[in-house]
Amino acid sequence: MRHLIDFTDLSEQEWQRLYRRFEEIAERPGDYRDALRGQTLASLFYEPSTRTRLSFEAAMLKLGGGVFGFSDPAASSVSKGETLKDTIIMISGYANVVTLRHPKEGAAMAAALYSSAPVVNAGDGGHNHPTQTLTDLVTIRRLRGSVGNLRIGVCGDLKYGRTVHSLLRALARFEGVSAVLVSAPELALPGYVKRSCKNLNLTEEPDLRAAAGGVDILYMTRVQRERFTDAAEYERLKLRYTLTPEILREAPKDLLILHPLPRAGEIPEAVDNDPRAAYFDQARYGLTARMALLLELCSLPPFTVKEPEPGGGTACGNPRCITQTEPYLPASGGGVCRYCEHPLVTPPGV
Ligand code: CP
């Protein structure tokens, strides 16, 4: 691992080490009070966040390090037209780790090309969110004892839900995991994510009640309003699925209910006192998981950056791809965009 762009950047050994470190910090947080004294975290949030930004910042502070950055790009030179490349070249010279959240898919991958410090993808558009997956997996392992051999239902916005994309890809690396996909057809899991989950037993079930009755974990997500171009379409789809106490009456007694949060009505507050509701524990574990990750990243040997060659390649046609707003980025060869993973289509006549 040098950067964490998606969870699958971690080897099996790195995941095991992170989990062991998570447990150690949870047991003896005082032992880590000064572990990163003198180190700095750059927290670059081009998109709103509560949990990811603040838990990373709290994690660095609890380890004795320092934090700087922005939570509103309008208050930085991004508002004057500064490129992602220039921003990252400079900021990575000021910091030991850079966390980046950006509305464009592939932004973290692009930033990593120019960064002299490890880049952590804190969410790139509707693409990936690996540290949420780290949070989800430590929660599952801590509360269930292991991650493999489980049935998980994922419900809501599977099209734009980056937490779902990263989670399913990570789960595909464990043995015996089956996933039940519950979504409106308009918000179904994209083909490029399905193709990268070959080891997962994936089925679709449009009925949330039926899905909840047959799984060990139910992972609810909100419909991602910020990704819609048509407000009426969002209104039509936003509460297609609601996990009511009535549905839960028939669900397994040992079900684990997870949600990356924030929620937007798909889990009513009436569910919060259900002993199976673990989403606030999940958010709490996210802080410790990010402490473990920062310790790992800050212990990496320094590296130098080699400016990428422009090369040939095909321009990506995905309007949500980072290459649409940062046109200097080297184009991708092969069949898929190296940044956002969408299939590349050669324009006619080329
Ligand atoms: N789960 C998550 O990414 O939450 P935030 O958007 O608040 O960071």
Side-chain angles (χ1 to χ4, degrees), residues 307-329:
E307 176 86 14
E309 301 286 336
T314 309
C316 180
N318 173 13
R320 301 173 190 275
C321 178
I322 187 67
T323 55
Q324 302 290 337
T325 49
E326 307 282 334
Y328 53 83
L329 287 168

Side-chain angles (χ1 to χ4, degrees), residues 126 154-162 164-165 168 180-191 193-194 204-206 221-241 266 320:
V154 288
C155 175
D157 188 343
L158 311 188
K159 179 179 182 184
Y160 298 124
R162 57 194 174 197
V164 170
H165 302 169
L168 290 178
V180 182
L181 309 177
V182 186
S183 75
E186 298 88 338
L187 297 178
L189 194 68
V193 181
K194 274 190 186 164
E204 290 176 15
E205 170 54 74
T221 62
R222 82 183 159 95
V223 174
Q224 306 275 302
R225 184 180 56 191
E226 63 274 35
R227 311 284 171 230
F228 280 73
T229 48
D230 180 347
E233 177 80 341
Y234 168 72
E235 289 299 324
R236 191 172 68 75
L237 294 170
K238 68 179 182 186
L239 285 179
R240 176 66 60 90
Y241 292 102
E266 61 284 345
R320 301 173 190 275

Side-chain angles (χ1 to χ4, degrees), residues 10-89:
L10 294 174
S11 66
E12 168 67 16
Q13 289 80 1
E14 284 169 328
W15 149 245
Q16 296 292 353
R17 198 163 62 230
L18 279 173
Y19 187 75
R20 279 196 302 276
R21 190 58 80 90
F22 164 85
E23 290 280 17
E24 285 163 12
I25 300 169
E27 273 169 38
R28 297 188 310 280
D31 288 3
Y32 293 89
R33 205 171 286 137
D34 288 319
L36 294 185
R37 185 157 301 286
Q39 309 247 20
T40 48
L41 170 72
S43 175
L44 308 185
F45 278 70
Y46 290 69
E47 229 188 22
S49 167
T50 295
R51 272 146 296 273
T52 311
R53 181 172 73 82
L54 296 176
S55 65
F56 257 121
E57 295 183 5
M60 193 53 154
L61 295 171
K62 281 175 176 285
L63 292 166
V67 178
F68 66 91
F70 55 78
S71 56
D72 176 7
S76 78
S77 286
V78 173
S79 64
K80 303 173 202 163
E82 186 156 49
T83 61
L84 181 63
K85 172 183 171 179
D86 285 1
T87 305
I88 293 294
I89 288 173

Side-chain angles (χ1 to χ4, degrees), residues 126-148:
H127 187 213
N128 284 322
H129 193 348
T131 66
Q132 182 61 49
T133 298
L134 179 63
T135 298
D136 301 339
L137 295 189
V138 299
T139 304
I140 293 169
R141 182 151 167 193
R142 191 163 170 100
L143 299 183
R144 284 189 79 249
S146 69
V147 178

